[in-house]
Each structure stands twice: as structure tokens, then as C-alpha cells.
Amino acid sequence: MKVVRISIIGFGAVGQGVARSILAKKEFLNDQGIDLCVVGIADSGGCTVDNQGIDLNSALEKKKQTGTIAAGRESVFELISNIEHEIVVEATPTNIENGEPGLSNMLAAFKSGKHIVTSNKGPLALRFSELKEAAEDNGVLFRYEATVGGAVPIFNLIHEDLAGNTVLGIEGILNGTTNYILTRMAEERLPYELVLKEAQELGIAETDPTYDVEGIDSACKLVIIANSVFGKNATYRDVKVTGITKITPEALELASKNNYVVKLVCEAGNGNLTVAPRLVPKRHPLAVGGTLNVASIMTDLAGRITISGKGAGSVETASSILSDILYLVKNS
Ligand code: HSE
């Protein structure tokens, strides 16, 4: 059995989703000769560490009962740097002002020779090249499938399955909250404020939902795609962004009468990065409804490849994290 030691930094919806997925897939992984052993968990209250492996059921219960995982005296940097393990799952919340605490956590992990798997968009939307170089300089791998599109495997598809292709451009819907709002407003004729509240209740909106509705979350994801796929060194400030706050129910109705839907579309290609509401024909591959995300990738050999799926959610995001962990287990 190959034992792979992991820490989970950030124990909110995503971090807990990772713990639940590791528990749910234990036998499945064991059958493949893999034992994922979580030796440290950190949240904003502190850390818990057990070199023999933390009982994840107890950890999840403790978090539920007390609101924190904190037990030991280690700081998060001591956990990342000093506790022996191979993979740091960085799942702290996105901060697009300065990328912290994720940025420092990732740099500390690289410096101490650990691979990073992350769902945290902030550091990648601000300092992608620096992080990539830090990983390379330290001989470790940097995996970030969960940062864009939740469960939808955009980077693995492009970098692995479409490896022989040149990607000419990408367009997509990368924010579930705005897609949900636009769908509900158009189909049920519900007011903006009400459907925004629904999206918040579904737990998919950002803590500050202006990040969603002003297109900032989409811009961050588009930048991560541009940097990863087109080798750019962009930040989210390089994206031309228009949000959905000025879309009226009348505009949606008029679009519908003419067989169109309005979508917040992200586009990368020809050196341009744009997020803006667009009219999309109702039968177009980008016309996905509800909280779904979609990415349509234009390539030279394969033509257009479109994938769609759940762009947010605890276990859905953990699906991408688990896939990155297994990539590391098999390729490092
Ligand atoms: N607020 C984001 C969304 C969460 O609605 O898509 C996933 O990044």
C-alpha cells in the first residue's frame, strides 16, 4: 500500500468536502493500493496534527460542534513546513486583494518540498508565474483543477487529453451564481434581489456576492485559464469586465422572444480577455442553465470541444482536488 500524507489547510466547505471524499473513497483507493493519510488540518482557529493520521469522522464532528478544528499548538506554517507529508491541499478562501493567506501557504509548501493541490483562486489570479516558478525551483508539482469550473476538468482535459492540440481560444460560463440568477430571472420572471438571495442560500455565491455579479470571480477564473493554457502572465485586472447588474427582466424577455438567452460569457483568445453578458442562441452549447458551468475549447486538430458540469459545491470541488491528488500520487 502506498501511503501518501496530506494536510488540509482551510476547513470550510471545500476542505470538509475533501475530508468527506477521502472517507467515502477509502476502499476504492485502497483497492488501487493507495492510502491517503491526513496528518494535519488547519482552519482560521488553529491546527490539529497527528503523524499517524487524523480520524476524519471525528475531525468533521468536532468542526460541526465547536466551529473549529484547533487542538494543537502548531501554527499553520509549522504544520506546512515542519510536519512530514507530501501534499498540501490549500483550500483557504479566495482573497483577490492580496491572495492571502493562500499565497504564503503555497510558497511555504513549495519551499519545504511539498506539492500543492488547491481550489483557491486568489493567489493564481494575482501571482501565477511566481507560484509556478516556485514549484519548479523546488522540484514539486502545482495542481489547481478545482480553481476553475468546480467539478469540470478543464485543465486536465486541455493539458492531458488535448495535449497534441494548439488551443486557439476558449469561451465559457465560469460562474454558477450569475448563471443561476440569469436563468431564474429569464425562466421564472423572478426579481434579481430574490434570485441572488436564493443563490446565496444554495451556498454557491462568494462571501461578498458582488464578486459574482460584477464578473470579478469570472475574471479571476479566465485569468487562471489564460495563464495556464496560453502561458500568459496576466492578473484579473487585465480582463475587460462587465457584470450582470444592469441586465433587466425586460432585456431577458426580449432576448427569449427572439430565441436567445443572456449569459455572462468569458472569452480568451487573440490576446483578449473579456467577461461580459452576451446573447447566446437557445440551442448553442453555451446555453446551459441553472448553476452549471461550461467551457468550450477551440483547437486546431480536434475542433471545438465543450464540457459542462457543476461549477461549485463542496463535494463537486473536492472531486477535482481528489483527481489532482491522484495525479500526484501517480506522477511524482
Ligand atoms: N461563487 C462561485 C460561483 C463559486 O458561483 O461559481 C465557485 O467558484
Side-chain angles (χ1 to χ4, degrees):
M1 188 76 69
K2 183 168 180 178
V3 179
V4 180
R5 294 164 299 181
I6 295 172
S7 65
I8 302 175
I9 311 300
F11 208 49
V14 175
Q16 289 176 56
V18 173
R20 280 195 195 96
S21 303
I22 290 175
L23 279 170
K25 306 301 283 192
K26 191 171 172 46
E27 268 182 43
F28 171 84
L29 294 170
N30 286 172
D31 287 347
Q32 297 175 51
I34 300 165
D35 179 12
L36 299 182
C37 173
V38 178
V39 294
I41 304 179
D43 64 18
S44 53
C47 300
T48 187
V49 171
D50 185 339
N51 292 309
Q52 302 307 309
I54 293 167
D55 177 342
L56 295 178
N57 279 315
S58 309
L60 287 162
E61 189 55 30
K62 178 170 181 188
K63 179 77 180 179
K64 194 170 152 199
Q65 297 298 334
T66 68
T68 181
I69 192 71
R73 290 209 188 118
E74 287 88 356
S75 70
V76 65
F77 287 111
E78 284 164 347
L79 162 54
I80 292 173
S81 304
N82 301 344
I83 302 298
E84 275 193 38
H85 58 296
E86 287 76 39
I87 300 174
V88 174
V89 173
E90 215 293 332
T92 60
T94 293
N95 162 0
I96 58 153
E97 299 308 320
N98 59 16
E100 297 296 359
L103 182 61
S104 298
N105 290 342
M106 290 180 198
L107 292 172
F110 293 145
K111 213 172 150 198
S112 62
K114 293 170 182 100
H115 308 293
I116 278 282
V117 172
T118 190
S119 56
N120 185 343
K121 291 160 274 190
L124 286 84
L126 293 168
R127 309 269 281 271
F128 187 86
S129 309
E130 185 184 331
L131 287 163
K132 217 173 150 225
E133 272 171 37
E136 280 163 15
D137 290 349
N138 289 285
V140 290
L141 296 173
F142 180 32
R143 306 284 301 178
Y144 44 81
E145 184 63 72
T147 57
V148 180
V152 187
I154 297 173
F155 296 113
N156 290 333
L157 175 66
I158 293 173
H159 292 306
E160 308 296 325
D161 304 310
L162 295 172
N165 285 262
T166 298
V167 176
L168 308 172
I170 297 177
E171 51 185 16
I173 297 168
L174 303 174
N175 181 270
T177 300
T178 47
N179 207 36
Y180 180 82
I181 292 172
L182 291 171
T183 306
R184 294 279 285 161
M185 281 176 75
E187 288 179 3
E188 311 293 334
R189 300 190 182 182
L190 295 168
Y192 171 83
E193 290 74 19
L194 180 85
V195 286
L196 170 58
K197 204 161 161 270
E198 281 180 3
Q200 287 177 297
E201 281 162 11
L202 285 176
I204 57 164
E206 298 296 302
T207 314
D208 176 356
T210 54
Y211 281 13
D212 295 294
V213 296
E214 298 289 0
I216 300 164
D217 177 72
S218 295
C220 287
K221 291 166 176 165
L222 188 63
V223 153
I224 299 171
I225 288 180
N227 291 341
S228 177
V229 177
F230 299 115
K232 301 267 181 220
N233 188 15
T235 80
Y236 79 91
R237 297 184 188 98
D238 298 315
V239 185
K240 232 176 114 197
V241 187
T242 312
I244 64 158
T245 52
K246 295 200 169 66
I247 307 282
T248 60
E250 293 73 27
L252 294 173
E253 206 174 327
L254 187 63
S256 182
K257 275 189 185 143
N258 290 290
N259 276 323
Y260 284 90
V261 283
V262 178
K263 296 289 174 192
L264 186 63
V265 176
C266 303
E267 291 170 282
N270 288 330
N272 287 330
L273 298 173
T274 314
V275 174
R278 300 264 190 240
L279 283 169
V280 175
K282 279 184 181 170
R283 288 177 176 273
H284 191 278
L286 287 187
V288 298
T291 61
L292 287 178
N293 279 202
V294 58
S296 199
I297 303 147
M298 275 71 72
T299 67
D300 56 349
L301 302 180
R304 182 193 278 266
I305 304 266
T306 303
I307 44 169
S308 172
K310 290 185 178 168
S314 169
V315 165
E316 291 82 356
T317 307
S319 157
S320 285
I321 290 181
L322 202 51
S323 148
D324 276 347
I325 291 174
L326 293 178
Y327 176 92
L328 292 176
V329 172
K330 289 167 188 165
N331 293 281
S332 63

